Amino acid sequence: MARQAPKQTAAEKALPPDVHAGREVRDHLGLLAEMTREFTASSDYKTVAHSALARISNYMGAEAASLFLVSDTGEALVCSACYGPVDITGLNISANTGVVGAAVAAREGALVRDVSENVDFGAAVDAKTGFKTRSLLVAPLVLGTDCLGAIEVINRIGGDGLFDSEDLLLLETLAGAAALAISNFRLTHKIVQQERNQHELELAAEIQRDLLPQPSSRDFPIHGINIPARSVSGDFFDIMPMPDGRIWFNVADVSGKGMNAALLMAKTSSLFRCLAKSAEDPGQLLNAINNELCETNFHGMFVTMVGGIFHPGTGLLQITNAGHEPPLHFDLRTERFIAIPADAPPLGIAQDIAGPDGFPVTELFLAGGMLYVFTDGLTEATTFGGGMLGIDGVRALIRDHAEESPDLRLKSIAGAVKLPGQSLRDDLTLLVVEDMGIAPIGAKPPIDAQLSVEDGQIMRVRIPARPDRLKLIRSATEQAAKYCEAPESWIFDLKMAVDEACQNIIRHAYGNKGDGDIMIDYSRERDALVVDIMDFADAVDPETVKSRNLSEVRPGGLGVHLIKSVCDDARFVPPPPGVGNLFKLTKSLPNKVS
Amino acid sequence: MSYEIRNVNGAAVVALNGDVDLQTSPLVRQKLLESLEGNTRVVVDLSAVNYIDSSGVASLVEAFQVSRKKGASFALASVSSAAMRVLSLARLDKVFTIHPSVEAATAAQG
């Protein structure tokens, strides 16, 4: 297609030779000012563009004008507004073709003075619309190195109906102003859109915060904290007390960040709440959640989770770890940690991978200790010193803040990695489960532990480890049980269990030498009598102290079986400093008959 | 703990009294094995046993095993509730021959 591109620059040609020219310049500037004002004042792009085209047409005495913008892909030019007898809004023409396409590609204005003299003029649009194009002006919308599109003006009204090069110069000047106005409009639009997105994110964050449990009261055994790195979080935790007194809890981390992670978090959180009501243990529950998540395709995203159930009456914890950072069991007496590694895969990856009983469950007795569950946002957080906190750093923080109230302790630990006013690199979630009713001997109780009068230690007995003292031990045990108002048959069983445990110390730990002591602490812990039986001998391998098979009738080896038959729990636990072995018996007290 | 051995209808009846525990069970073991040496019928009267531990039970088991080797008869009689509790927890209540009274035991053995 032939076109007449002006050879002079706009600046060279914008110097009118006579007094009329001065008025023309003032008029041009007035039009520019008017158009700029309209573009910046309105957010309705189409109306403003249409109005600008009307002004340009009227000012230039043209029949019609159109605004073509480069499409997002850059492959087409789309008519986004027009003025004139025929509406071609939405008309899509291939970039680089036609007079408009060539002007955009070359970033130069084009004048086709008389289309009848131009054999290359494509009359396809005219054929479609019935409009008769006689003369044509096109000016590109150039802004810096970018070209946004072009303005096309068609047919001069009056005279010979044809445009000349001065008309092109004027259109190019107007197009420059229009390009700036369109660019400003787009920027403003982008900012508005960003603000809208931000607002939606804030709404999502608010809903997410509502999914987290309310802060626990000081005497509740489970507390949690969640600090999102961005407005929405991929981490979450939940605490859900059941009518029977047990408490479900979880800490989870969704792979990925942002809105899609937040949506998966919301789904997983709902599944946990819903399915926990009918689950027996966390192994079953996490297996059910896994199968549900696998039903929905979350594009390769998955969830790591520690789910558990706590029995506050006995201090029993049942935990399943599905691909999550290992939780830490902290024993207050010995200040030792035991990590509970993941023995199930993350949730949402593979369906039906667990057996009929679900994922493996780890059982442990808190026994006055605490369980910390956290996300890698804590272990991988940067400390004030600049390094990564790491698991050793987490352990040190737990030790350092052990005597604070749980709520304050969680804030102190999180505060060690989060500077005020600065955001974290990753979401951080931390949860603690603790035995509120137990005051460990030798360790200071938590400052807010509320022990009622009937709880706590009953007595301590220290006695030579000799067979002739066993009767005294049985008597002491009987008195401790009577203090708890236990019935006769219950007392007999406990006496037998303590007696058998002490026999083992006399025979195995001290080797019948009779040269050591046995120390026994009797404590009332909630609805159980707990007997800590300690010796000062070398450590015994608990594996060597096991029940034997009773189908085999032979003397000996019955003691451990008798103990386990009558106690709710009997096990070696890490002893306090200076003590050789600590064997802990727990026997639930029968419900009082009212 | 105390003990008394008497002869009832030709059987040696070992009556135990008090607590049979790690302190006293060696004596119980000794008396039971001695009784089995001179008798083909032994009855252990447990009516006055307030307490018996695993070592006491072990003594009874050992005497029972010796009696079987010798072809002697060994029975428990009038077992106190405390002793019965321990025997049943040890699942030995079905292993031993248990009679409600010494008389019933000696009559059954005769």
Side-chain angles (χ1 to χ4, degrees):
Chain A
M1 184 181 298
R3 59 190 178 86
Q4 269 180 272
K7 297 297 176 227
Q8 288 174 292
T9 65
E12 285 167 342
K13 290 186 283 187
L15 295 170
D18 52 31
V19 285
H20 297 290
R23 202 174 65 210
E24 275 181 20
V25 169
R26 276 201 305 279
D27 290 349
H28 293 177
L29 288 175
L31 176 67
L32 281 174
E34 193 69 10
M35 277 173 51
T36 308
R37 194 188 58 75
E38 272 189 6
F39 265 106
T40 50
S42 173
S43 61
D44 182 1
Y45 179 76
K46 282 194 173 161
T47 308
V48 177
H50 182 267
S51 164
L53 290 175
R55 283 179 187 281
I56 291 168
S57 294
N58 293 334
Y59 189 77
M60 297 187 66
E63 268 184 42
S66 319
L67 172 68
F68 284 86
L69 294 177
V70 178
S71 69
D72 292 339
T73 59
E75 289 169 356
L77 288 160
V78 182
C79 177
S80 61
C82 69
Y83 171 79
V86 175
D87 187 0
I88 56 161
T89 307
L91 179 73
N92 193 318
I93 58 175
S94 173
N96 305 323
T97 60
V99 182
V100 177
V104 168
R107 295 177 190 191
E108 280 184 357
L111 164 65
V112 183
R113 184 175 156 74
D114 188 346
V115 297
S116 65
E117 292 173 6
N118 189 324
V119 290
D120 293 329
F121 174 73
V125 178
D126 281 6
K128 242 186 239 176
T129 61
F131 187 81
K132 174 72 184 151
T133 300
R134 295 189 303 279
S135 184
L136 187 65
L137 280 179
V138 178
L141 299 163
V142 179
L143 195 77
T145 55
D146 287 341
C147 183
L148 310 179
I151 294 177
E152 180 188 50
V153 176
I154 300 169
N155 299 349
R156 181 195 281 281
I157 299 167
D160 58 2
L162 304 179
F163 292 117
D164 58 28
S165 58
E166 286 210 358
D167 295 321
L168 178 62
L169 178 66
L170 174 61
L171 185 63
E172 281 180 326
T173 312
L174 294 172
L180 194 63
I182 290 167
S183 172
N184 282 343
F185 182 88
R186 283 179 170 177
L187 266 177
T188 311
H189 186 69
K190 208 170 169 180
I191 290 166
V192 168
Q193 194 59 44
Q194 275 174 354
E195 279 175 359
R196 192 172 294 155
N197 289 347
Q198 186 58 37
H199 181 62
E200 280 174 5
L201 271 179
E202 278 163 14
L203 277 177
E206 199 178 314
I207 290 168
Q208 257 197 332
R209 281 193 295 276
D210 289 344
L211 289 176
L212 294 174
Q214 293 294 312
S216 308
S217 63
R218 283 166 75 92
D219 57 353
F220 194 76
I222 308 184
H223 295 254
I225 189 170
N226 168 266
I227 305 170
R230 307 188 198 179
S231 52
V232 292
S233 174
D235 277 11
F236 67 98
F237 74 96
D238 205 353
I239 301 168
M240 198 166 78
M242 304 299 285
D244 61 6
R246 299 179 304 159
I247 310 163
W248 282 104
F249 63 91
N250 73 43
V251 168
D253 187 356
V254 176
S255 66
K257 304 277 164 266
M259 197 55 103
N260 46 358
L263 286 170
L264 180 53
M265 170 254 170
K267 171 157 182 156
T268 312
S269 160
S270 308
L271 283 172
F272 187 91
R273 285 220 146 228
C274 179
L275 297 172
K277 284 166 189 151
S278 55
E280 287 289 317
D281 64 51
Q284 276 188 9
L285 175 58
L286 268 62
N287 182 38
I289 294 173
N290 177 54
N291 288 338
E292 286 291 332
L293 287 179
C294 287
E295 301 247 319
T296 322
N297 178 9
F298 271 95
H299 303 288
M301 296 177 74
F302 56 85
V303 184
T304 68
M305 179 187 282
V306 169
I309 191 157
F310 180 54
H311 306 245
T314 58
L316 173 69
L317 258 176
Q318 294 172 293
I319 301 168
T320 293
N321 182 350
H324 196 84
E325 187 85 19
L328 291 175
H329 175 212
F330 178 51
D331 189 314
L332 268 178
R333 301 183 195 209
T334 59
E335 299 212 335
R336 286 186 204 164
F337 288 94
I338 299 167
I340 300 161
D343 38 21
L347 310 177
I349 293 177
Q351 201 163 6
D352 297 325
I353 42 172
D357 296 333
F359 289 131
V361 178
T362 300
E363 291 192 351
L364 64 99
F365 279 85
L366 275 188
M370 305 163 174
L371 181 85
Y372 286 87
V373 194
F374 41 88
T375 55
D376 56 11
L378 180 63
T379 46
E380 292 173 9
T382 310
T383 59
F384 292 164
M388 204 169 85
L389 183 63
I391 193 67
D392 290 339
V394 173
R395 290 175 182 213
L397 283 173
I398 290 172
R399 274 199 203 97
D400 291 350
H401 297 283
E403 294 189 6
E404 294 171 9
S405 70
D407 187 41
L408 179 64
R409 198 182 324 135
L410 296 186
K411 283 180 185 153
S412 300
I413 294 171
V417 294
K418 186 187 180 302
L419 286 164
Q422 282 195 12
S423 45
L424 292 163
R425 280 198 315 187
D426 195 2
D427 307 326
L428 187 160
T429 300
L430 174 61
L431 176 139
V432 64
V433 186
E434 53 191 67
D435 232 348
M436 302 297 287
I438 295 174
I441 311 301
K444 280 191 225 165
I447 52 174
D448 61 347
Q450 304 272 323
L451 290 181
S452 68
V453 179
E454 62 178 352
D455 280 355
Q457 192 176 9
I458 298 165
M459 66 175 176
R460 167 174 282 186
V461 174
R462 185 163 177 155
I463 197 163
R466 288 164 42 173
D468 62 357
R469 300 297 202 275
L470 285 169
K471 195 161 185 167
L472 280 175
I473 290 172
R474 291 198 296 274
S475 178
T477 305
E478 182 164 347
Q479 294 309 316
K482 279 186 173 161
Y483 176 80
C484 298
E485 298 173 355
E488 287 298 328
S489 60
W490 192 98
I491 293 175
F492 180 85
D493 286 354
L494 183 73
K495 255 179 9 184
M496 184 187 67
V498 174
D499 181 288
E500 293 291 345
C502 291
Q503 277 189 46
N504 281 338
I505 292 176
I506 293 167
R507 295 200 294 191
H508 304 303
Y510 288 123
N512 282 318
K513 292 196 200 86
D515 56 354
D517 283 351
I518 294 173
M519 187 164 77
I520 310 175
D521 279 334
Y522 297 90
S523 307
R524 171 81 182 264
E525 292 178 1
R526 305 234 169 180
D527 298 323
L529 183 58
V530 176
V531 187
D532 284 349
I533 303 167
M534 292 164 269
D535 64 56
F536 304 90
D538 293 337
V540 168
D541 179 1
E543 286 298 303
T544 62
V545 187
K546 277 187 167 171
S547 301
R548 72 166 167 86
N549 182 358
L550 290 186
S551 59
E552 187 187 343
V553 179
R554 62 171 173 81
L558 270 176
V560 175
H561 167 76
L562 293 176
I563 295 169
K564 294 207 164 171
S565 302
V566 298
C567 289
D568 295 289
D569 189 56
R571 68 181 63 208
F572 283 99
V573 297
V579 170
N581 299 285
L582 167 54
F583 192 64
K584 184 185 272 293
L585 300 182
T586 305
K587 185 166 171 60
S588 295
L589 287 160
N591 292 329
K592 282 181 193 159
V593 180
S594 52
Chain B
M1 193 216 64
S2 62
Y3 68 95
E4 186 192 297
I5 302 175
R6 64 183 195 277
N7 191 298
V8 179
N9 297 333
V13 175
V14 183
L16 305 175
N17 189 316
D19 290 8
V20 182
D21 66 2
L22 191 62
Q23 169 72 4
T24 57
S25 62
L27 179 64
V28 171
R29 175 178 176 273
Q30 186 197 332
K31 293 300 155 195
L32 292 179
L33 295 180
E34 278 174 11
S35 299
L36 278 165
E37 275 174 21
N39 293 278
T40 53
R41 295 189 291 148
V42 172
V43 174
V44 187
D45 179 355
L46 295 174
S47 59
V49 168
N50 306 318
Y51 180 77
I52 184 165
D53 73 353
S54 60
S55 69
V57 170
S59 303
L60 295 177
V61 170
E62 192 177 350
F64 168 75
Q65 288 172 329
V66 168
S67 73
R68 294 191 41 136
K69 273 188 196 155
K70 292 180 61 175
S73 168
F74 182 84
L76 306 182
S78 192
V79 179
S80 69
S81 61
M84 189 51 100
R85 170 69 176 154
V86 179
L87 290 177
S88 62
L89 283 171
R91 294 187 211 147
L92 291 169
D93 48 341
K94 300 284 185 289
V95 173
F96 287 113
T97 307
I98 297 176
H99 294 283
S101 66
V102 170
E103 290 67 32
T106 54
Q109 283 178 333

